Amino acid sequence: MAIYKMVGDKERLEAVAATSFGQEGVLERSDLQRMLRDQPEILEEGLFIITEEFSNWEGSGRSIDLLALDATGRLVVIELKRGDTGSHMELQAIRYAAMVSAMTLQQAIETHRAYLAGIGSEEDSEERIREHLENSDGARFASERPRIILASEGFSSELTTCALWLNESGLDVTCIRMQPHRSGPELLIETSQTIPLPEAQSYLVRIREREEEQDRERKSVFGSFVEGGSLFRERIESAEGNARPLLEKLFDWATGLEKEKIAVLSTYVHNDRCNLLIGLPIGNNPNLVRVVKHRSAIRVQRGYLEQFSPKSAQVLQDLIGQPIVERGGSFNIRLENVREEWLQAFAEAYREANGLLTCQEDTQA
């Protein structure tokens, strides 16, 4: 699409000549990346920049141009190209998305802290990130399936075909074209979202959400893991006797850990079996504790406790009177026997685990 300016007294429209960033001497990193870093709303409203040139992984000298959170708290990998895209821009972005998909909230905070220090800012990184999440209704930090935004002067047919196919396959790739135009002394930048088309984006999101919900329902018939704890909450209604208030108490306790961003909830269902898995926000979400509805018990995972929360494991061993340290495996505790101080100690185990995960990964990086 061309850009026109109105000349004279509404006499006619005159085309504004298209140019290129190369011809205009606009550099990719020091110009484009710097401006988009400071004004991310040009790419998308609600973007929050965590850092630039992110490369905190072993065995690779490559770096993500910009790493951000969107308005929902989802991690976003942003890749920029000054000229037309080559055939590997999307593959590079996919590699980066995979590499950051295990990032924890604490790691994001530490990464943002280093970024702020690098630009000479004394703002509190945790406060900034939590404020971004709190200001967006219903937002929560999510890194397991990062979004990808590709911004370039132009896109090859190979790349657009690949981006469309990736979106159909369940990924989330946005392509934004940035076309420079010269009008006398002024350099104008026209931005346009080419994939997905803005007019169809909300429709596509609704279709994808419906398909994902149907897929979850189909899988649950055969026994599957469903994201979140809402399904478990629904199943509490069918609990008998004194189990219902105890399950409700455990569910409220678990959602408190989730709100604290130190745990992620999922539900396993199979016929009459229903477990609330209280996982750590990393990798395959190892769970220190799960609530087992059909047994009216909590299941304590000794191995994970000793691995991720050794100090708390010792405290819990003393409180519960069950051997945890150097035992592995798991054991069940009837809900009516669970004490308030045990729940407080388990909560502390999740806090300890988040700190240890950050330290362990930073050491490996």
Side-chain angles (χ1 to χ4, degrees), residues 193-218:
Q193 183 173 309
T194 60
I195 297 176
L197 292 175
E199 296 82 1
Q201 188 165 11
S202 60
Y203 170 76
L204 293 173
V205 168
R206 289 198 301 271
I207 291 295
R208 182 181 301 167
E209 288 176 346
R210 187 182 67 186
E211 289 176 346
E212 289 176 350
E213 182 178 350
Q214 291 173 342
D215 186 53
R216 286 196 297 268
E217 290 175 354
R218 284 193 297 269

Side-chain angles (χ1 to χ4, degrees), residues 139-247:
R140 59 180 292 271
F141 179 79
S143 64
E144 57 272 14
R145 295 184 67 183
R147 292 180 53 206
I148 294 172
I149 293 180
L150 306 177
S152 177
E153 195 172 312
F155 296 99
S156 67
S157 59
E158 286 183 42
L159 188 143
T160 54
T161 300
C162 182
L164 289 169
W165 180 80
L166 289 170
N167 284 340
E168 290 175 359
S169 301
L171 295 183
D172 194 332
V173 181
T174 299
C175 295
I176 298 177
R177 186 168 181 259
M178 302 180 65
Q179 176 62 59
H181 295 263
R182 169 61 65 183
S183 177
E186 295 183 326
L187 184 62
L188 311 178
I189 310 297
E190 176 193 14
T191 63
S192 57
Q193 183 173 309
T194 60
I195 297 176
L197 292 175
E199 296 82 1
Q201 188 165 11
S202 60
Y203 170 76
L204 293 173
V205 168
R206 289 198 301 271
I207 291 295
R208 182 181 301 167
E209 288 176 346
R210 187 182 67 186
E211 289 176 346
E212 289 176 350
E213 182 178 350
Q214 291 173 342
D215 186 53
R216 286 196 297 268
E217 290 175 354
R218 284 193 297 269
K219 288 179 178 178
S220 67
V221 173
F222 302 100
S224 186
F225 294 92
V226 180
E227 183 179 347
S230 58
L231 181 57
F232 182 86
R233 183 65 185 83
E234 293 173 12
R235 295 290 183 96
I236 292 178
E237 299 300 322
S238 63
E240 298 179 355
N242 297 327
R244 183 187 295 185
L246 296 174
L247 288 168

